[in-house]
Amino acid sequence: MNHDREGCRPCIRLSREEDEAAVVALWHACGLVASYNDPHADFRFARAGAASAVLVAEGEDGGVGGSIMVGHDGHRGWLYYVATDPAARSRGIGCALVRAAETWLRERGVRKVQLLVRQTNAGVARFYERLGFEQSAVIVMQRWLD
Ligand SMILES: CC(C)(COP(=O)(O)OP(=O)(O)OC[C@H]1O[C@@H](n2cnc3c(N)ncnc32)[C@H](O)[C@@H]1OP(=O)(O)O)[C@@H](O)C(=O)NCCC(=O)NCCS
């Protein structure tokens, strides 16, 4: 079942260079920064790419209330760093960010969106299920490129 909260219309926009410190602080506050990732480099890399972006939800105080990284690999769309300020949760910001990222992908001809959930964060799958996502029957393989 799709579950979009009525009434919440946060302002969502493309991130700007000067958002970097606030966005990275948000990612830390949301427990999204893995030891093997450099969040500053991730923010800059996604902003620099033609096929990727970081969107932000403006907070009530004018700061960053939420963020999402979106991109496509020429085939599928992907979401990363889905984050809402812990003080502003359950108001529909996360939902609005996902919908904005989906629109960003649709506008580029992408027909499917995917994301990875860490096994230690499996509970958050509930959030995505409410937005119409379903679990994939796939095994994800990976290898670092030196
Ligand atoms: C997931 C997240 C972005 C949702 O943001 P949000 O602005 O609160 O989202 P919404 O208000 O649109 O939706 C809230 C609903 O999501 C669901 N939800 C969110 N996190 C959940 C979790 N960990 N477990 C179960 N349900 C969850 C709940 O159903 C919640 O509804 P409720 O308020 O009635 O309980 C936010 O909880 C967050 O930043 N979490 C930490 C970072 C994270 O885990 N990101 C996802 C990485 S894959």
Side-chain angles (χ1 to χ4, degrees):
M1 180 185 72
N2 280 5
H3 179 89
D4 288 9
R5 283 172 186 238
E6 301 290 335
C8 180
R9 296 277 182 278
C11 176
I12 296 180
R13 58 168 174 79
L14 284 171
S15 60
R16 305 178 188 119
E17 191 179 347
E18 58 267 29
D19 292 322
E20 179 176 326
V23 168
V24 170
L26 173 71
W27 292 348
H28 278 290
C30 292
L32 292 177
V33 179
S35 57
Y36 45 79
N37 285 336
D38 175 348
H40 291 277
D42 289 350
F43 179 85
R44 291 174 198 174
F45 194 67
R47 286 193 72 252
S52 55
V54 179
L55 310 181
V56 300
E58 289 187 347
E60 287 172 359
D61 59 356
V64 171
S67 81
I68 191 164
M69 184 184 289
V70 58
H72 70 81
D73 52 21
H75 184 52
R76 300 300 189 210
W78 287 92
L79 307 181
Y80 295 96
Y81 286 111
V82 183
T84 294
D85 179 345
R89 300 251 169 103
S90 294
R91 299 181 196 166
I93 294 173
C95 165
L97 284 163
V98 171
R99 295 304 185 219
E102 290 173 348
T103 297
W104 187 99
L105 290 167
R106 267 196 212 94
E107 288 171 352
R108 288 157 181 81
V110 180
R111 297 184 55 239
K112 188 176 184 187
V113 59
Q114 307 186 150
L115 60 109
L116 304 171
V117 175
R118 291 191 193 122
Q119 288 186 346
T120 51
N121 195 21
V124 83
R126 198 61 210 108
F127 165 72
Y128 296 107
E129 284 166 1
R130 289 176 67 163
L131 296 178
F133 285 68
E134 57 189 5
Q135 204 169 319
S136 302
V138 298
I139 296 171
V140 178
M141 309 290 289
Q142 64 179 21
R143 190 170 92 81
W144 289 100
L145 301 177
D146 307 315

